[in-house]
Amino acid sequence: MLTKRIIPCLDIKDGRTVKGVNFVNLRDAGDPVELAAQYAKENADELVFLDISATEQKRKTLADLVLKVAEAIDIPFTVGGGISSVEDVAILLRNGADKVSINSAAVKRPELINELATAFGSQCVVVAIDAKQIEGEWLVHLVGGKVPTEINLFDWTKEVEKRGAGEILFTSMDHDGTKAGFANKALARLSEEVNIPIIASGGAGELKHFTDTFTHGKADAALAASVFHFSEISVSDLKQQLKVQQIAVRL
Amino acid sequence: MEVAIIDYGAGNIQSLQFALNRLGVQGILTADVNVLQSADKVIFPGVGEASSAMQKLNASGLQHLLPTLTQPVLGICLGMQLMCNSTEEGMTQGLGIFNVDVKRFSSKVKVPQMGWNTIYNAKGPLFDAIDDKEYMYLVHSFFAPSCSNTIAETNYDGAYSTALQKDNFFGVQFHPEKSSKAGSQLLQNFLSI
């Protein structure tokens, strides 16, 4: 049976992990390669690296990092942050990334999704969508959720599927950082309206939230950052607990 | 040992190279007929869309060589699918090594299948020391139905061939280079055949 995936997300700036990371077993908590290897050892199913640096050196730094991560781990990983062209993606995939995640660039120029799907296949094109409810309507936001658009979440998700996205990474800005659970109602609706896998993001705080998003939210995967980085929840404990709750996971 | 990886411009082989390195082997990425013929093992990778990958293979002239190889050959993911008779993806004619036609998953399931799924009914040397019900990482929209060449199955939208074998030719739908310890064991097994 296809299992539900647990995906730790690492924010990267100038080649280092940012946001606090508080792992007892690591020599250097800022080293993304060491952190990635630690998560792989704990049975994480995939990893996401999100580059938030804005320097000119960014492309090269990220490409180098991807190469080092690919050398260190034997589970799949996705890279995102500022990707806006076929050339950007070619370098990352060539260096060993399995998938790339695009966000604002896809909203600004939706044809990018078609171009990437044609060039590399849908399986490596993740479209990340940040959205927030405004007067009852889920609206897509840009620039890490800061800039609102008038695009409806569900319309946009259907469009990106049609254009060749292989997967959706949906972050609810209403839930992100709250540690009060994922946006399960919206997630469940997304799963009904499109036929590609959905990764739930934003709101993970405790074990039950993961169970809920896989059952009520019908999510195919759940992504979280701080709960894993601060060892509030260990990936291996989480997966043991999910198994007890009858959720299919890889142990 | 010389392990040749077929270079036809399709597939991200970096992770495969690293996986081989971890087993102490340096894969040689090549399109050279002599190197491919004399290698101890040949790996046929593939990522992307079938018809354009097949075009690249045909353009390299390697489509005639591949079925004549006599050492162990391992097709991975799209590589395995191209070793079949045909695939519905882009209505592509395959190499005809495995006697099966690749089809698309129905819309009853999410497509692509993406993630870790179990393998079962695994047999033969490729699966030595790998548990039945072991998890492997899969990303694909098309599948080879179960057939006389099937040596392991996975269930998604029904049972299908997650591994195939005919004589010296092997194919796996999953990505051993991304399947943690079990995947590494499978690559080691292939190198030991």
Side-chain angles (χ1 to χ4, degrees):
Chain A
M1 186 175 185
L2 182 66
T3 61
K4 302 290 189 182
R5 287 169 284 153
I6 297 296
I7 309 177
C9 176
L10 286 70
D11 283 347
I12 306 292
K13 193 173 182 188
D14 304 326
R16 308 275 297 168
T17 12
V18 291
K19 280 192 183 169
V21 173
N22 183 16
F23 253 137
V24 276
N25 302 330
L26 299 188
R27 277 176 292 120
D28 173 5
D31 178 6
V33 179
E34 204 178 340
L35 189 54
Q38 176 74 17
Y39 282 131
K41 211 163 75 185
E42 287 186 7
N43 267 350
D45 296 300
E46 269 182 53
L47 298 173
V48 169
F49 295 87
L50 195 59
D51 192 322
I52 57 169
S53 50
T55 58
E56 284 175 22
Q57 277 294 307
K58 173 177 177 144
R59 280 173 68 161
K60 195 180 173 316
T61 316
L62 188 59
D64 288 347
L65 175 67
V66 166
L67 195 61
K68 284 184 200 143
V69 170
E71 186 170 17
I73 65 169
D74 52 10
I75 59 168
F77 65 99
T78 302
V79 180
I83 293 167
S84 60
S85 69
V86 168
E87 295 74 51
D88 289 347
V89 173
I91 297 165
L92 299 173
L93 295 181
R94 196 167 60 222
N95 279 10
D98 298 280
K99 301 185 254 184
V100 294
S101 161
I102 53 172
N103 191 335
S104 300
V107 177
K108 285 179 198 146
R109 205 172 63 80
E111 301 75 35
L112 178 62
I113 303 167
N114 306 68
E115 291 167 13
L116 296 180
T118 306
F120 310 108
S122 291
Q123 83 291 334
C124 69
V125 183
V126 182
V127 175
I129 305 175
D130 300 333
K132 187 188 222 169
Q133 272 182 299
I134 294 176
E135 290 170 9
E137 191 187 2
W138 280 98
L139 294 178
V140 174
H141 282 57
L142 301 180
V143 201
K146 289 197 261 303
V147 180
T149 70
E150 291 182 351
I151 304 167
N152 175 281
L153 165 67
F154 302 98
D155 294 343
W156 176 235
T157 307
K158 276 181 262 187
E159 182 177 344
V160 306
E161 179 188 36
K162 213 177 291 166
R163 286 181 178 276
E167 191 167 42
I168 302 292
L169 167 55
F170 166 54
T171 303
S172 162
M173 307 312 300
D174 291 335
H175 297 71
D176 200 30
T178 63
K179 298 199 173 185
F182 294 92
N184 293 325
K185 242 177 110 178
L187 282 160
R189 189 172 155 197
L190 285 176
S191 253
E192 277 158 27
E193 295 194 2
V194 297
N195 201 40
I196 52 179
I198 311 278
I199 305 171
S201 161
E206 55 185 273
L207 293 165
K208 186 179 177 298
H209 296 155
F210 290 90
T211 316
D212 287 347
T213 204
F214 291 136
T215 50
H216 306 313
K218 298 183 182 169
D220 299 286
L223 176 142
S226 58
V227 289
F228 296 138
H229 300 333
F230 287 101
S231 301
E232 288 167 26
I233 300 176
S234 91
V235 175
S236 36
D237 285 353
L238 170 61
K239 294 180 80 175
Q240 292 284 354
Q241 291 296 323
L242 288 170
K243 193 183 164 72
V244 172
Q245 305 289 323
Q246 315 280 323
I247 306 239
V249 285
R250 175 182 72 106
L251 291 177
Chain B
M1 176 169 19
E2 242 179 48
V3 179
I5 301 169
I6 298 181
D7 181 9
Y8 64 113
N12 306 309
I13 52 92
Q14 190 61 67
S15 296
L16 178 61
Q17 292 271 29
F18 284 137
L20 292 172
N21 291 351
R22 284 192 277 270
L23 297 170
V25 173
Q26 194 77 42
I28 308 157
L29 185 64
T30 183
D32 185 310
V33 173
N34 294 325
V35 176
L36 288 169
Q37 277 175 332
S38 66
D40 299 303
K41 303 284 186 305
V42 173
I43 299 180
F44 180 38
V47 168
E49 195 273 330
S51 64
S52 57
M54 199 63 205
Q55 270 172 21
K56 286 177 188 164
L57 189 70
N58 291 345
S60 70
L62 294 175
Q63 82 277 23
H64 301 302
L65 172 75
L66 230 153
T68 67
L69 292 173
T70 53
Q71 68 275 61
V73 176
L74 178 66
I76 297 176
C77 195
L78 181 62
M80 180 204 90
Q81 295 187 355
L82 295 181
M83 289 161 79
C84 298
N85 285 337
S86 70
T87 164
E88 281 183 3
E89 188 176 20
M91 291 300 155
T92 307
Q93 189 70 37
L95 296 172
I97 294 168
F98 303 126
N99 187 21
V100 61
D101 297 303
V102 174
K103 301 190 178 332
R104 193 171 204 278
F105 284 126
S106 82
S107 56
K108 280 183 282 179
V109 290
K110 287 196 177 181
V111 183
Q113 168 173 226
M114 190 173 292
W116 299 79
N117 200 339
T118 42
I119 57 161
Y120 58 91
N121 291 339
K123 54 190 177 203
L126 205 53
F127 293 96
D128 277 352
I130 295 175
D131 293 344
D132 212 37
K133 306 263 161 63
E134 185 57 82
Y135 294 100
M136 297 289 184
Y137 184 75
L138 296 140
V139 186
H140 60 126
S141 302
F142 295 80
F143 69 96
S146 297
C147 63
S148 59
N149 298 136
T150 303
I151 53 166
E153 292 180 296
T154 288
N155 195 312
Y156 192 69
D157 198 19
Y160 69 90
S161 301
T162 207
L164 293 162
Q165 184 194 351
K166 190 183 178 194
D167 306 325
N168 58 313
F169 293 96
F170 299 82
V172 289
Q173 181 60 65
F174 48 84
H175 285 274
E177 75 279 17
K178 288 288 172 179
S179 293
S180 197
K181 286 195 198 77
S184 181
Q185 180 68 52
L186 185 127
L187 285 174
Q188 180 62 62
N189 291 345
F190 173 68
L191 298 179
S192 308
I193 287 169

